[in-house]
Every structure is written in structure tokens, then in C-alpha cells.
Amino acid sequence: MKDQQKLKYKRFFLLITFLFFTSYATSQTFKKVNYQEISIVGSELFSIDDIVANSSINLPTSLIFIKTTYAEKELKKNLSLKNVSVFRQIFPFGLKILIKTRTPIAYGERIFKGEKISGFIDEDGFFISLKYSDQVNLKKITSKVFGWEENFKETLSKILNYQKNNDVEFITITFSPNGFLTLEEKSLKTILLGFNPKRIENQLQIVNNMKNQIKENNILEKIDNIDLTDPNNPKIKVFKP
């Protein structure tokens, strides 16, 4: 009999505890989040003001009404982040934001609303605003990208990763306003690639092969430009004496 009573008391205690914490958690979700209840983990580049300015999070606002998935998409795009996770927390109360930044591997310039904006480019071809870039190891960066646009990311990524793994060094990568792509390689000088992004892998392989062959023939200093707009018919223009 005593064992049964103890079991009843234990179940009753657990039920009361459960109801208490459920009630407490529910009340906490409707509690308003303020600046001091937001924590940012993973980067010191961003302030809470940056988070609020680049997302739909309005403070103060009830924890339950913060659209975390939508805020993640906004922050990832607006701050050029590699990844971001936004968590609602009851214990401790508040909003926790985990940030993974992109690593700059090239300088970059883009035109936005008629204004030139300077920043950096990562290995995936994403543009990183100067304000939100991790500037560690910037002395190692030698490539510059001009005329960056959203639809050039994939092509740009292939170029930057190709030079990382091969014996080529692109000083400048330039997209004209109409999308014509021109490279300047350290030894080969100006290389015209044209408008077709589907040819880029083949063109880069040709650039690498040509550099090796030209080095063997000691004619690098005579080259004016290389035209690879038609990869099946590469043309080398040399300086005329």
C-alpha cells in the first residue's frame, strides 16, 4: 500500500513539474526579445545592429513570432555569409545566431545602382562587402575581379579554383557590362574568353597548356594577347617589331 502511495505521489509530482515547466516555457515564448537577449557566435565582424538592419527581425518582438528560417535566408544573402543558423532559446532566454563567414581569395568590384562598390570574392564566386569581410591573410590575395554580377558566380568560381590547382596566375578577371570575359595572366598577359560560360573549363585547360608550351619556346615577352573566344581556333597576337 505504501509503495502504491509513493508511486502516486511521484507521478503527481512529475505531473506538477511538467505542467509548471510547460507553462513557464509557453510564457517565455511570448516574452519579448531585446538587444541584450541576442548572442552572435562564430564571428566578431557583426553587431546586433547589423543583424537587425539586414533582416526582418524587429526589436523588441515576441520570441515566438521571430521567423528564424526567413531571417537565416535574409542574413545569408544580405551579409554574404557562408552559413547562418538562428535559434530561439528558452534557457537561457533569447535568440542565438551562429555565423560562418566566407573567406576572401580575391579583391572585387561591382556596380550597384550606378555606384562602384569594393569588396572581396570567395572561392564560390560570392561578393563580400568590404564592411563584412574577414580581413585575415589579405596580404596573400593577388587577383582582382572587376564587373562582378550575381550570374557570374559559377564562372568566377571555376576560374579561381582552377588557378589554385594549376600553374596559372590571373592578375585580373574582368567582366564587361555586356558580359564579355577577359583575363590577365601574369605571364601570358591579356586573354580574351568571350561571352560563353559553358566553354570556361575547356578555355582554362587551353590556357594552362599554352603557358607550358610557350614557356618552353621562350616567347612570353613577345605576346600581346591570346584570343580564346573560339577554343577550337585559338589565336596568339604578338608584338610587331
Side-chain angles (χ1 to χ4, degrees), residues 132-143:
Y132 302 127
S133 59
D134 185 352
Q135 301 192 19
V136 177
N137 298 324
L138 289 187
K139 292 181 179 179
K140 298 179 180 179
I141 294 178
T142 58
S143 298

Side-chain angles (χ1 to χ4, degrees), residues 15 31 78 80 120 124 131 140 155 160 187 213-214 229:
L15 178 60
K31 183 179 175 182
N78 296 337
S80 299
F120 299 94
D124 297 319
K131 180 181 178 181
K140 298 179 180 179
T155 299
L160 292 171
S187 301
Q213 293 173 8
I214 290 172
T229 52

